[in-house]
Amino acid sequence: MTENGPTAPGTIGRRGLLATGAAAALTLGPVTFADAAPRTGAGTGPRPDETRVVRATLPPGSPDFVYLPVHVPRGVRELAVSYAYEKASVPAGTQNNALDIGVFDERGTALGGAGFRGWSGGARTEFFIRADDATPGYLRGPIRPGTWHIALGPYTVAPQGLPYTVTVTLKYGEPGATPAPGYPPPRAKGRGRAWYRGDCHLHSVHSDGGRTPAQIAALARAAGLDFINTSEHNTTSGHRAWQGLWGDDLLIMTGEEITTRNGHVVALGTEPGHFIDWRYRARDNRFGHFAREVRAAGGLVVPAHPHATCVGCNWKFGFGDADAVEVWNGPYTPDDEATLLEWDNSLVVAARSERPWLPAMGNSDAHRDPDRVGGPQTVVLADDLTTRAIQAGLRAGRSYVAESAEVSLSFGVSGGRGGHAGIGERLRAAPDEQVTARLEVRGAPGCTVAFVTDQGTLYTTQLPASGTGTATWRTTPANAAYLRAEVRHPPPAPGLPGPLTAFTNPVFLGG
């Protein structure tokens, strides 16, 4: 084992820093492996494995990404990397060290370029890549000669700095063959135009989840889901991991949770194998470009848990480039309530002007037990059980969100002249024309129903003990620019809102 460039505490390394084109990234000096002379003659065998170790300390204020170049010679069969870093003793309220990791191949680290070969964030301490296999989160394929880059992401750095060690091992030999990927098909059998249930934010062992794709598929079926969307953090390695798990009863869409330092966004239904970069902040003015790339790859742009309290989770890119927004994420919490209120405020602006509006979704963001797949789930009216039809229903807002498959809603508004509009539609009616909102609920015992308008909640009623019932309410377009319905559990304390059981996208009035 060779040690490559030990460093003094408090420095990045005596091998020096080379600034890249981006202000938020730096490149270290390279790790080198000598090119091998051709081996000939009897009994020569393959070149022995070689290992290099790099030790350094990242100071506070380090850039978002630090790249460690690795010069890879010819004849490498496998690249193996492990890393470790030290936690510090920090005062209460101070962030401790956290260091993510990934890798780019000889095609380079350019933003949105072809060099991406995998990312595990902080979920793993080691990974390997070969032509025929790779650690989940990483893309299998040949180890071509050239300069690869280990990508280090100092998520948070303690005041004392972040000491780390990276160990790189090259294994030589015949490269092997790369199997052709088997991707999920873009359609399932379906029921024609119908309401379909789905969960579009899920994590497996291909990022920081604890479940295999097979376990997720089984849980999705048990939860009564018709479709799911794969959404691993910053990698597409899971797209090929669903072979044999789809069927007539389950549509599996491929996507990614693009996990930036200023918020997370679900790319929903992108082309299998299409990677979307995440290495930018709001101040870099790059999000619009990558939102367009998501759409060019056939996907929807859905900001996830915009008010989540984890570091880097709070959404700071604005919603002008979004196709929908994840209003409800996992078990209902105060940050979901904040997102619901923010989303409702946006409807007020869209209602009177008939400007485009942002539909709401709900997803589980399930990672491992006891996270519940399908809790919550989005129920969408689609022409068929295909990726494109589901996306069209979500984009149009023809959907509602429910905590489980036990809960079903039917919501619409009718006018005095025989007009009717369902969820996501507009009812054309004169300002003073009486209109009637009707909500049918199943599976919500102990819950209340509320009709919400641009003025706020104007009508509330209790459901029967069975949890199945109908609520109606009358208003006019002059008094309500839109109507939407909420079903809630009892409040945890007086003066607080009860957790959502279900809610609908709006029906707009007038115009």
Side-chain angles (χ1 to χ4, degrees), residues 303-335:
H305 45 67
H307 289 281
T309 57
C310 48
V311 175
C313 291
N314 201 267
W315 185 253
K316 298 184 182 298
F317 293 97
F319 296 95
D321 291 298
D323 296 304
V325 59
E326 187 183 74
V327 167
W328 182 356
N329 174 277
Y332 200 73
T333 56
D335 61 272

mmCIF file of all heavy atoms in Angstrom, residues 303-335:
data_model
loop_
_atom_site.group_PDB
_atom_site.id
_atom_site.type_symbol
_atom_site.label_atom_id
_atom_site.label_comp_id
_atom_site.label_asym_id
_atom_site.label_seq_id
_atom_site.Cartn_x
_atom_site.Cartn_y
_atom_site.Cartn_z
ATOM 1 N N PRO A 303 -40.867 20.048 -7.220
ATOM 2 C CA PRO A 303 -40.161 20.351 -5.972
ATOM 3 C C PRO A 303 -40.695 19.502 -4.820
ATOM 4 O O PRO A 303 -41.913 19.356 -4.658
ATOM 5 C CB PRO A 303 -40.451 21.840 -5.756
ATOM 6 C CG PRO A 303 -40.672 22.371 -7.144
ATOM 7 C CD PRO A 303 -41.383 21.263 -7.871
ATOM 8 N N ALA A 304 -39.778 18.929 -4.052
ATOM 9 C CA ALA A 304 -40.144 17.993 -2.988
ATOM 10 C C ALA A 304 -40.003 18.655 -1.620
ATOM 11 O O ALA A 304 -39.087 19.436 -1.391
ATOM 12 C CB ALA A 304 -39.253 16.748 -3.054
ATOM 13 N N HIS A 305 -40.925 18.322 -0.727
ATOM 14 C CA HIS A 305 -40.928 18.803 0.666
ATOM 15 C C HIS A 305 -40.299 20.200 0.795
ATOM 16 O O HIS A 305 -39.252 20.371 1.430
ATOM 17 C CB HIS A 305 -40.227 17.811 1.598
ATOM 18 C CG HIS A 305 -38.920 17.257 1.116
ATOM 19 N ND1 HIS A 305 -37.786 18.030 0.957
ATOM 20 C CD2 HIS A 305 -38.561 15.998 0.763
ATOM 21 C CE1 HIS A 305 -36.792 17.280 0.535
ATOM 22 N NE2 HIS A 305 -37.235 16.040 0.399
ATOM 23 N N PRO A 306 -40.911 21.233 0.200
ATOM 24 C CA PRO A 306 -40.256 22.553 0.112
ATOM 25 C C PRO A 306 -39.910 23.187 1.446
ATOM 26 O O PRO A 306 -39.000 24.013 1.503
ATOM 27 C CB PRO A 306 -41.290 23.405 -0.637
ATOM 28 C CG PRO A 306 -42.139 22.429 -1.377
ATOM 29 C CD PRO A 306 -42.197 21.214 -0.516
ATOM 30 N N HIS A 307 -40.630 22.846 2.519
ATOM 31 C CA HIS A 307 -40.358 23.461 3.816
ATOM 32 C C HIS A 307 -39.762 22.473 4.815
ATOM 33 O O HIS A 307 -39.805 22.721 6.026
ATOM 34 C CB HIS A 307 -41.629 24.093 4.382
ATOM 35 C CG HIS A 307 -42.064 25.323 3.646
ATOM 36 N ND1 HIS A 307 -41.478 26.557 3.842
ATOM 37 C CD2 HIS A 307 -43.001 25.507 2.689
ATOM 38 C CE1 HIS A 307 -42.049 27.451 3.061
ATOM 39 N NE2 HIS A 307 -42.977 26.837 2.334
ATOM 40 N N ALA A 308 -39.189 21.376 4.334
ATOM 41 C CA ALA A 308 -38.525 20.434 5.238
ATOM 42 C C ALA A 308 -37.367 21.127 5.951
ATOM 43 O O ALA A 308 -36.735 22.036 5.414
ATOM 44 C CB ALA A 308 -38.022 19.225 4.466
ATOM 45 N N THR A 309 -37.080 20.680 7.161
ATOM 46 C CA THR A 309 -36.118 21.379 8.013
ATOM 47 C C THR A 309 -34.703 20.831 7.925
ATOM 48 O O THR A 309 -33.799 21.394 8.543
ATOM 49 C CB THR A 309 -36.588 21.320 9.475
ATOM 50 O OG1 THR A 309 -36.754 19.948 9.860
ATOM 51 C CG2 THR A 309 -37.926 22.040 9.640
ATOM 52 N N CYS A 310 -34.472 19.748 7.165
ATOM 53 C CA CYS A 310 -33.112 19.217 7.068
ATOM 54 C C CYS A 310 -32.218 20.182 6.291
ATOM 55 O O CYS A 310 -32.690 20.974 5.466
ATOM 56 C CB CYS A 310 -33.118 17.843 6.395
ATOM 57 S SG CYS A 310 -34.082 17.749 4.882
ATOM 58 N N VAL A 311 -30.913 20.125 6.578
ATOM 59 C CA VAL A 311 -29.960 21.009 5.909
ATOM 60 C C VAL A 311 -30.009 20.773 4.402
ATOM 61 O O VAL A 311 -29.907 19.643 3.932
ATOM 62 C CB VAL A 311 -28.531 20.770 6.436
ATOM 63 C CG1 VAL A 311 -27.531 21.602 5.649
ATOM 64 C CG2 VAL A 311 -28.447 21.096 7.917
ATOM 65 N N GLY A 312 -30.191 21.846 3.644
ATOM 66 C CA GLY A 312 -30.234 21.742 2.193
ATOM 67 C C GLY A 312 -31.579 21.351 1.621
ATOM 68 O O GLY A 312 -31.728 21.290 0.398
ATOM 69 N N CYS A 313 -32.582 21.101 2.470
ATOM 70 C CA CYS A 313 -33.882 20.645 1.976
ATOM 71 C C CYS A 313 -34.825 21.791 1.618
ATOM 72 O O CYS A 313 -35.713 21.626 0.786
ATOM 73 C CB CYS A 313 -34.562 19.758 3.020
ATOM 74 S SG CYS A 313 -33.753 18.162 3.265
ATOM 75 N N ASN A 314 -34.687 22.944 2.268
ATOM 76 C CA ASN A 314 -35.623 24.049 2.065
ATOM 77 C C ASN A 314 -35.510 24.582 0.641
ATOM 78 O O ASN A 314 -34.415 24.897 0.170
ATOM 79 C CB ASN A 314 -35.341 25.148 3.088
ATOM 80 C CG ASN A 314 -36.516 26.059 3.285
ATOM 81 O OD1 ASN A 314 -36.621 27.087 2.626
ATOM 82 N ND2 ASN A 314 -37.412 25.686 4.179
ATOM 83 N N TRP A 315 -36.643 24.706 -0.043
ATOM 84 C CA TRP A 315 -36.667 25.015 -1.470
ATOM 85 C C TRP A 315 -36.434 26.503 -1.710
ATOM 86 O O TRP A 315 -37.184 27.342 -1.235
ATOM 87 C CB TRP A 315 -38.003 24.592 -2.059
ATOM 88 C CG TRP A 315 -38.098 24.762 -3.534
ATOM 89 C CD1 TRP A 315 -38.813 25.696 -4.216
ATOM 90 C CD2 TRP A 315 -37.436 23.972 -4.522
ATOM 91 N NE1 TRP A 315 -38.651 25.544 -5.566
ATOM 92 C CE2 TRP A 315 -37.805 24.484 -5.789
ATOM 93 C CE3 TRP A 315 -36.559 22.883 -4.460
ATOM 94 C CZ2 TRP A 315 -37.330 23.932 -6.984
ATOM 95 C CZ3 TRP A 315 -36.099 22.347 -5.645
ATOM 96 C CH2 TRP A 315 -36.479 22.869 -6.883
ATOM 97 N N LYS A 316 -35.395 26.839 -2.480
ATOM 98 C CA LYS A 316 -35.010 28.238 -2.707
ATOM 99 C C LYS A 316 -34.955 28.626 -4.179
ATOM 100 O O LYS A 316 -34.475 29.703 -4.523
ATOM 101 C CB LYS A 316 -33.652 28.514 -2.046
ATOM 102 C CG LYS A 316 -33.660 28.325 -0.527
ATOM 103 C CD LYS A 316 -32.329 28.703 0.083
ATOM 104 C CE LYS A 316 -32.332 28.450 1.595
ATOM 105 N NZ LYS A 316 -33.332 29.265 2.303
ATOM 106 N N PHE A 317 -35.461 27.781 -5.080
ATOM 107 C CA PHE A 317 -35.376 28.063 -6.508
ATOM 108 C C PHE A 317 -36.628 28.737 -7.061
ATOM 109 O O PHE A 317 -36.669 29.060 -8.244
ATOM 110 C CB PHE A 317 -35.128 26.763 -7.290
ATOM 111 C CG PHE A 317 -33.786 26.143 -7.035
ATOM 112 C CD1 PHE A 317 -33.643 25.115 -6.117
ATOM 113 C CD2 PHE A 317 -32.659 26.575 -7.712
ATOM 114 C CE1 PHE A 317 -32.408 24.524 -5.885
ATOM 115 C CE2 PHE A 317 -31.417 25.993 -7.489
ATOM 116 C CZ PHE A 317 -31.292 24.965 -6.564
ATOM 117 N N GLY A 318 -37.665 28.919 -6.239
ATOM 118 C CA GLY A 318 -38.921 29.423 -6.767
ATOM 119 C C GLY A 318 -39.664 28.327 -7.509
ATOM 120 O O GLY A 318 -39.144 27.227 -7.734
ATOM 121 N N PHE A 319 -40.901 28.635 -7.924
ATOM 122 C CA PHE A 319 -41.756 27.609 -8.518
ATOM 123 C C PHE A 319 -42.092 27.883 -9.982
ATOM 124 O O PHE A 319 -42.927 27.204 -10.565
ATOM 125 C CB PHE A 319 -43.046 27.482 -7.701
ATOM 126 C CG PHE A 319 -42.807 27.007 -6.296
ATOM 127 C CD1 PHE A 319 -42.672 27.910 -5.253
ATOM 128 C CD2 PHE A 319 -42.684 25.660 -6.017
ATOM 129 C CE1 PHE A 319 -42.433 27.473 -3.950
ATOM 130 C CE2 PHE A 319 -42.439 25.214 -4.723
ATOM 131 C CZ PHE A 319 -42.304 26.126 -3.693
ATOM 132 N N GLY A 320 -41.416 28.873 -10.574
ATOM 133 C CA GLY A 320 -41.720 29.216 -11.956
ATOM 134 C C GLY A 320 -41.387 28.124 -12.957
ATOM 135 O O GLY A 320 -41.971 28.089 -14.047
ATOM 136 N N ASP A 321 -40.463 27.227 -12.621
ATOM 137 C CA ASP A 321 -40.071 26.155 -13.532
ATOM 138 C C ASP A 321 -40.678 24.809 -13.153
ATOM 139 O O ASP A 321 -40.294 23.785 -13.725
ATOM 140 C CB ASP A 321 -38.540 26.025 -13.560
ATOM 141 C CG ASP A 321 -37.864 27.201 -14.232
ATOM 142 O OD1 ASP A 321 -38.116 27.406 -15.427
ATOM 143 O OD2 ASP A 321 -37.114 27.926 -13.552
ATOM 144 N N ALA A 322 -41.606 24.798 -12.209
ATOM 145 C CA ALA A 322 -42.168 23.535 -11.725
ATOM 146 C C ALA A 322 -43.417 23.153 -12.507
ATOM 147 O O ALA A 322 -44.137 23.996 -13.040
ATOM 148 C CB ALA A 322 -42.492 23.641 -10.238
ATOM 149 N N ASP A 323 -43.691 21.837 -12.574
ATOM 150 C CA ASP A 323 -44.922 21.309 -13.172
ATOM 151 C C ASP A 323 -45.946 20.939 -12.121
ATOM 152 O O ASP A 323 -47.147 20.869 -12.410
ATOM 153 C CB ASP A 323 -44.598 20.071 -14.007
ATOM 154 C CG ASP A 323 -43.706 20.394 -15.188
ATOM 155 O OD1 ASP A 323 -44.081 21.270 -15.991
ATOM 156 O OD2 ASP A 323 -42.620 19.784 -15.295
ATOM 157 N N ALA A 324 -45.512 20.648 -10.920
ATOM 158 C CA ALA A 324 -46.367 20.339 -9.778
ATOM 159 C C ALA A 324 -45.514 20.539 -8.538
ATOM 160 O O ALA A 324 -44.300 20.790 -8.640
ATOM 161 C CB ALA A 324 -46.912 18.911 -9.849
ATOM 162 N N VAL A 325 -46.107 20.437 -7.362
ATOM 163 C CA VAL A 325 -45.341 20.587 -6.132
ATOM 164 C C VAL A 325 -45.783 19.515 -5.142
ATOM 165 O O VAL A 325 -46.974 19.186 -5.047
ATOM 166 C CB VAL A 325 -45.502 21.999 -5.517
ATOM 167 C CG1 VAL A 325 -46.957 22.302 -5.204
ATOM 168 C CG2 VAL A 325 -44.637 22.173 -4.282
ATOM 169 N N GLU A 326 -44.827 18.944 -4.434
ATOM 170 C CA GLU A 326 -45.114 17.940 -3.423
ATOM 171 C C GLU A 326 -45.529 18.658 -2.142
ATOM 172 O O GLU A 326 -44.692 19.088 -1.346
ATOM 173 C CB GLU A 326 -43.874 17.069 -3.189
ATOM 174 C CG GLU A 326 -44.125 15.876 -2.275
ATOM 175 C CD GLU A 326 -42.861 15.100 -2.026
ATOM 176 O OE1 GLU A 326 -42.003 15.590 -1.256
ATOM 177 O OE2 GLU A 326 -42.708 14.004 -2.612
ATOM 178 N N VAL A 327 -46.816 18.791 -1.948
ATOM 179 C CA VAL A 327 -47.353 19.506 -0.797
ATOM 180 C C VAL A 327 -47.306 18.650 0.461
ATOM 181 O O VAL A 327 -47.080 19.146 1.566
ATOM 182 C CB VAL A 327 -48.788 19.981 -1.102
ATOM 183 C CG1 VAL A 327 -49.513 20.441 0.151
ATOM 184 C CG2 VAL A 327 -48.752 21.112 -2.131
ATOM 185 N N TRP A 328 -47.521 17.353 0.306
ATOM 186 C CA TRP A 328 -47.588 16.437 1.458
ATOM 187 C C TRP A 328 -46.524 15.373 1.257
ATOM 188 O O TRP A 328 -46.528 14.642 0.271
ATOM 189 C CB TRP A 328 -48.986 15.852 1.525
ATOM 190 C CG TRP A 328 -49.272 14.928 2.667
ATOM 191 C CD1 TRP A 328 -48.419 14.474 3.631
ATOM 192 C CD2 TRP A 328 -50.544 14.331 2.949
ATOM 193 N NE1 TRP A 328 -49.066 13.636 4.496
ATOM 194 C CE2 TRP A 328 -50.386 13.535 4.111
ATOM 195 C CE3 TRP A 328 -51.795 14.401 2.347
ATOM 196 C CZ2 TRP A 328 -51.438 12.800 4.652
ATOM 197 C CZ3 TRP A 328 -52.845 13.667 2.887
ATOM 198 C CH2 TRP A 328 -52.666 12.882 4.036
ATOM 199 N N ASN A 329 -45.603 15.258 2.217
ATOM 200 C CA ASN A 329 -44.476 14.332 2.135
ATOM 201 C C ASN A 329 -44.433 13.474 3.387
ATOM 202 O O ASN A 329 -44.136 13.957 4.477
ATOM 203 C CB ASN A 329 -43.166 15.121 1.981
ATOM 204 C CG ASN A 329 -41.926 14.242 2.025
ATOM 205 O OD1 ASN A 329 -41.443 13.898 3.092
ATOM 206 N ND2 ASN A 329 -41.408 13.909 0.860
ATOM 207 N N GLY A 330 -44.769 12.178 3.255
ATOM 208 C CA GLY A 330 -44.705 11.264 4.389
ATOM 209 C C GLY A 330 -45.739 11.584 5.450
ATOM 210 O O GLY A 330 -46.762 12.234 5.180
ATOM 211 N N PRO A 331 -45.532 11.139 6.690
ATOM 212 C CA PRO A 331 -46.471 11.465 7.769
ATOM 213 C C PRO A 331 -46.676 12.980 7.873
ATOM 214 O O PRO A 331 -45.716 13.746 7.792
ATOM 215 C CB PRO A 331 -45.792 10.898 9.015
ATOM 216 C CG PRO A 331 -44.899 9.809 8.496
ATOM 217 C CD PRO A 331 -44.418 10.288 7.154
ATOM 218 N N TYR A 332 -47.921 13.407 8.047
ATOM 219 C CA TYR A 332 -48.243 14.833 7.996
ATOM 220 C C TYR A 332 -47.633 15.570 9.182
ATOM 221 O O TYR A 332 -47.825 15.187 10.332
ATOM 222 C CB TYR A 332 -49.753 15.029 7.973
ATOM 223 C CG TYR A 332 -50.163 16.389 7.456
ATOM 224 C CD1 TYR A 332 -50.047 16.691 6.106
ATOM 225 C CD2 TYR A 332 -50.637 17.372 8.310
ATOM 226 C CE1 TYR A 332 -50.410 17.929 5.614
ATOM 227 C CE2 TYR A 332 -50.999 18.610 7.828
ATOM 228 C CZ TYR A 332 -50.888 18.890 6.484
ATOM 229 O OH TYR A 332 -51.246 20.124 6.001
ATOM 230 N N THR A 333 -46.885 16.643 8.881
ATOM 231 C CA THR A 333 -46.145 17.389 9.894
ATOM 232 C C THR A 333 -46.344 18.889 9.671
ATOM 233 O O THR A 333 -46.895 19.305 8.645
ATOM 234 C CB THR A 333 -44.640 17.056 9.819
ATOM 235 O OG1 THR A 333 -44.179 17.322 8.476
ATOM 236 C CG2 THR A 333 -44.369 15.585 10.163
ATOM 237 N N PRO A 334 -45.888 19.736 10.608
ATOM 238 C CA PRO A 334 -46.059 21.190 10.415
ATOM 239 C C PRO A 334 -45.440 21.727 9.135
ATOM 240 O O PRO A 334 -45.947 22.698 8.569
ATOM 241 C CB PRO A 334 -45.392 21.773 11.668
ATOM 242 C CG PRO A 334 -45.579 20.726 12.721
ATOM 243 C CD PRO A 334 -45.431 19.421 11.984
ATOM 244 N N ASP A 335 -44.330 21.150 8.647
ATOM 245 C CA ASP A 335 -43.769 21.686 7.401
ATOM 246 C C ASP A 335 -44.677 21.389 6.217
ATOM 247 O O ASP A 335 -44.731 22.169 5.258
ATOM 248 C CB ASP A 335 -42.342 21.173 7.169
ATOM 249 C CG ASP A 335 -42.248 19.677 7.040
ATOM 250 O OD1 ASP A 335 -42.103 19.002 8.072
ATOM 251 O OD2 ASP A 335 -42.307 19.184 5.910
#
